[in-house]
Amino acid sequence: MKNSKRLIYIISLLSMILLGGIFNSCQEENLGYDKNGDLFQPKFVLAAPLVKGNSIALVWYKVNDADSYTVELHFDNYYTSLYKSYTTTDTQIFMDDIPYKTQYYIRVRANKNDTKFNSQWSNTNALTEDRPVYAQILNPVEKVNITEIDVKVSWKIDTANPVDSISVVPASSKDVLSIGRKLTAEEIRIGEAKVEGLQKSTAYNLNVYDNTKSRVYDRPYNQVTFRSAGPSAGQILVMKGDDLDALLRANDLDPTIPEGTEYYLEAGSLFKVTPFTISKGFKLTGSNQGERPQIELNGNWNIKNGGYLSSLAFENIRFYQTIDASYFFNSGNSWTIGEVTFYNCVFNNFRRGFWRHQGNGKYKEVGNFEMNYCTLDMDGGHSGPYGTFALGSAGADNFKRAVFSNCTFMRDYYTIGTEVPDKTRNFKNLFDYGSSAYPIYLEYSNVTIYDYAYNRSLINLQSAVGSTLVFKNVLLASACGKVIQAIAAGCTTSYSNNYTTTDYLLGASSIQGTELGISALNLFVDPKAGNLKIKDPNSPIVTKRVGDTRWLP
């Protein structure tokens, strides 16, 4: 017991000695620091900084004994995203030519040569003004001009707003390199440039500049955003030799596969698919880094009765059939689909029609339908064809919006093989809305029609009261019949910048167009062989950008 008490006493004594030593050490350190040497925080002269355009002026009172002042601009109020730092011996600063329309969090500190005596920060903030009106010359980037590794961009040529350089900067990823360079004399002359070295499936911000301007943030023109091609996270990559048919069927029934799943098809691949009645939407995207993928369809798509699909999408694929009589889509069921899109696709040998509805009273609703940069060529050729779009559900078709832009409809009575073309076996229309009374917005813009719907009407909106039809920049080089078969009361029609060749025997007045006075054979390079490139670069088709712009020289 005595030994235990003695041990506790010794430990207590040692503890007191150690604590005393620490206390004395702290006292000695405090004696080495004279807080009277600290500088006071700068105090601002004005309640807020002065802002003029993209410049900020800041003034503060002098701090006695300060050797200099530090001013920092941050993008956040936690001061973790430094934009720029300034050091000055003055009590004011003019921060000029910084980004427009940006909120800055500003702090100022008084400095001593011995930095341990620097003051605490004084904080304020300021918002620079909008950039003054400037020329919006950079054009949006068309998907058809984007690949996995490069992009072709264009801008409006304007002598008052010259350009001399270009930049492509990742929109979010800091790990992807930016690309910037001066433009060549030829690129400047034509207003077009190709930028290489992109990363796959990456969002980029695109700018062109006039570096002759003295102020940095007045040099760029309007910014355009695009995403490079390529498979992204969540996509299913389908390679050559994979069974796309089996994959689509299995995933349509698999509840773990979400609607809208995208299948990315390897360039140069060929797949054979027997279309089926689908229960959820999907997207088929062909790689554009090489030859366009091809899909042979042995039949037509359908949607299950009572189904609701958010979207169906097809991009950069050649679809064709080898069977005698079918469509891309044909349905007698009742269903609703939010959106259908086709982009940069080719369709061959769909011999009876392209998109057909049937089934009396079977309600079908399409919210938005878009077909861009697509070609229907060498379709038709079967007896009793229904046509390109034939909606025949006895008035139960509700197509809310359909837009066709930069498309070509051509050679619809030619057949792939050895058969002799027969003009009596052509498609009946471009868009036949049947007896539907639901109003539709229908637009054809920059469309080329050659040897199509021979002696047939193109548009039928006979019962759809209150619809809108837009027909602009259309080149009609075909011996088809009336442009409009019938149109309901209360419909709005709009025609502009349309042209016809002598092949259209009814003249251009029905579409408020202009007659070129030459035939398709004289307008196109080799139309019978499918080459509709415009021969004469001075033709109004070129100068006014009429028809499918892919055919312009």
Side-chain angles (χ1 to χ4, degrees):
M1 179 68 70
K2 289 182 179 180
N3 290 335
S4 297
K5 288 182 178 179
R6 183 177 299 170
L7 181 60
I8 292 172
Y9 174 77
I10 293 172
I11 292 173
S12 300
L13 183 61
L14 288 172
S15 299
M16 292 175 65
I17 293 171
L18 287 171
L19 287 171
I22 293 171
F23 179 74
N24 290 335
S25 176
C26 290
Q27 281 188 320
E28 290 171 3
E29 287 185 8
N30 286 336
L31 290 174
Y33 173 72
D34 181 7
K35 69 177 181 179
N36 293 326
D38 282 353
L39 297 176
F40 291 106
Q41 288 176 269
K43 183 179 180 181
F44 298 116
V45 173
L46 302 175
L50 294 175
V51 176
K52 179 70 173 178
N54 63 332
S55 301
I56 299 174
L58 189 64
V59 185
W60 58 92
Y61 292 104
K62 176 179 173 59
V63 176
N64 291 331
D65 299 326
D67 296 311
S68 65
Y69 303 91
T70 296
V71 181
E72 291 185 351
L73 292 183
H74 289 261
F75 294 128
D76 71 306
N77 60 351
Y78 296 104
Y79 301 97
T80 60
S81 53
L82 178 67
Y83 165 66
K84 205 163 187 179
S85 179
Y86 306 82
T87 300
T88 179
T89 56
D90 292 329
T91 57
Q92 59 185 345
I93 190 168
F94 182 62
M95 296 170 283
D96 189 27
D97 197 12
I98 58 180
Y100 287 99
K101 195 62 176 179
T102 302
Q103 177 71 52
Y104 294 98
Y105 295 89
I106 308 169
R107 61 183 186 178
V108 181
R109 183 187 66 201
N111 301 325
K112 195 74 174 170
N113 288 334
D114 188 346
T115 58
K116 71 180 180 181
F117 294 121
N118 289 351
S119 77
Q120 295 185 9
W121 294 98
S122 293
N123 304 319
T124 187
N125 61 80
L127 173 66
T128 47
E129 297 175 348
D130 289 341
R131 182 178 174 181
V133 176
Y134 60 99
Q136 308 286 302
I137 66 171
L138 190 57
N139 297 321
V141 181
E142 296 281 1
K143 285 169 62 176
V144 72
N145 293 325
I146 303 170
T147 76
E148 296 175 355
I149 59 173
D150 57 51
V151 61
K152 186 168 71 173
V153 302
S154 65
W155 56 91
K156 300 177 184 68
I157 298 175
D158 182 356
T159 54
N161 294 284
V163 299
D164 56 22
S165 58
I166 190 169
S167 74
V168 177
V169 180
S172 56
S173 176
K174 296 181 180 180
D175 299 325
V176 178
L177 294 178
S178 299
I179 304 169
R181 64 175 174 83
K182 291 183 177 179
L183 294 167
T184 67
E186 178 62 13
E187 289 171 334
I188 294 172
R189 186 186 71 81
I190 64 175
E192 188 175 284
K194 185 176 183 180
V195 179
E196 300 176 323
L198 306 182
Q199 296 295 314
K200 295 180 181 179
S201 190
T202 301
Y204 287 97
N205 293 327
L206 167 69
N207 274 110
V208 289
Y209 302 83
D210 173 15
N211 283 303
T212 64
K213 292 185 174 71
S214 59
R215 296 179 66 80
V216 171
Y217 291 97
D218 288 336
R219 294 173 184 173
Y221 293 95
N222 55 300
Q223 182 174 278
V224 171
T225 300
F226 70 94
R227 179 176 291 276
S228 56
S232 59
Q235 288 179 327
I236 296 176
L237 184 60
V238 187
M239 307 296 289
K240 296 175 184 176
D242 290 347
D243 191 340
L244 177 61
D245 183 273
L247 185 61
L248 290 173
R249 290 175 180 272
N251 288 351
D252 186 68
L253 300 174
D254 187 344
T256 66
I257 301 298
E259 182 174 19
T261 293
E262 183 173 0
Y263 302 84
Y264 193 84
L265 312 182
E266 183 183 13
S269 54
L270 170 62
F271 305 98
K272 294 187 178 183
V273 174
T274 299
F276 54 93
T277 299
I278 59 180
S279 60
K280 58 187 174 186
F282 58 84
K283 181 178 183 180
L284 297 179
T285 301
S287 169
N288 59 12
Q289 195 58 39
E291 186 180 351
R292 189 195 315 256
Q294 300 184 73
I295 298 180
E296 178 186 329
L297 296 178
N298 181 24
N300 47 254
W301 297 103
N302 194 0
I303 298 173
K304 76 172 184 177
N305 196 52
Y308 176 84
L309 275 64
S310 295
S311 64
L312 273 175
F314 307 91
E315 181 175 326
N316 197 46
I317 300 169
R318 179 196 172 218
F319 292 96
Y320 68 94
Q321 290 186 338
T322 56
I323 56 179
D324 180 56
S326 192
Y327 315 80
F328 182 86
F329 183 89
N330 183 17
S331 178
N333 294 333
S334 178
W335 41 259
T336 297
I337 184 168
E339 184 173 48
V340 181
T341 58
F342 294 92
Y343 189 89
N344 200 31
C345 290
V346 175
F347 303 92
N348 301 131
N349 207 42
F350 292 86
R351 300 191 65 183
R352 296 200 74 182
F354 181 75
W355 192 282
R356 183 191 177 199
H357 292 180
Q358 57 178 312
N360 288 358
K362 292 287 188 177
Y363 179 79
K364 303 171 183 65
E365 179 180 309
V366 178
N368 182 53
F369 187 103
E370 293 190 10
M371 180 178 280
N372 304 313
Y373 292 96
C374 291
T375 301
L376 272 72
D377 183 22
M378 301 187 81
D379 297 303
H382 191 275
S383 60
Y386 286 90
T388 318
F389 283 78
L391 310 183
S393 304
D397 302 297
N398 186 359
F399 238 84
K400 295 180 180 295
R401 182 178 184 270
V403 175
F404 302 84
S405 67
N406 281 290
C407 290
T408 296
F409 302 92
M410 61 189 290
R411 304 191 300 177
D412 67 345
Y413 54 82
Y414 292 67
T415 54
I416 298 175
T418 58
E419 297 178 49
V420 177
D422 182 354
K423 291 186 178 182
T424 67
R425 298 188 174 200
N426 60 322
F427 276 5
K428 289 183 177 179
N429 54 61
L430 276 179
F431 201 97
D432 185 352
Y433 205 26
S435 59
S436 176
Y438 293 98
I440 179 176
Y441 176 90
L442 179 60
E443 178 180 320
Y444 288 87
S445 173
N446 283 104
V447 167
T448 295
I449 304 170
Y450 165 70
D451 248 0
Y452 202 86
Y454 177 78
N455 203 30
R456 309 277 195 174
S457 299
L458 298 181
I459 308 294
N460 179 32
L461 302 176
Q462 64 188 41
S463 303
V465 175
S467 295
T468 299
L469 173 63
V470 176
F471 222 67
K472 63 182 181 181
N473 305 325
V474 174
L475 172 57
L476 188 49
S478 181
C480 51
K482 294 188 297 183
V483 172
I484 298 178
Q485 175 181 322
I487 190 165
C491 291
T492 301
T493 57
S494 174
Y495 304 96
S496 61
N497 202 35
N498 301 312
Y499 283 79
T500 63
T501 64
T502 55
D503 305 87
Y504 185 53
L505 303 178
L506 301 182
S509 60
S510 62
I511 54 174
Q512 301 175 23
T514 303
E515 296 181 13
L516 290 167
I518 60 174
S519 68
L521 285 174
N522 291 324
L523 178 65
F524 303 125
V525 169
D526 191 0
K528 290 186 176 181
N531 185 350
L532 304 190
K533 185 175 181 179
I534 307 301
K535 287 181 180 179
D536 181 6
N538 296 314
S539 167
I541 302 302
V542 178
T543 58
K544 296 189 176 182
R545 298 186 67 79
V546 180
D548 187 341
T549 57
R550 293 176 296 173
W551 297 113
L552 301 183

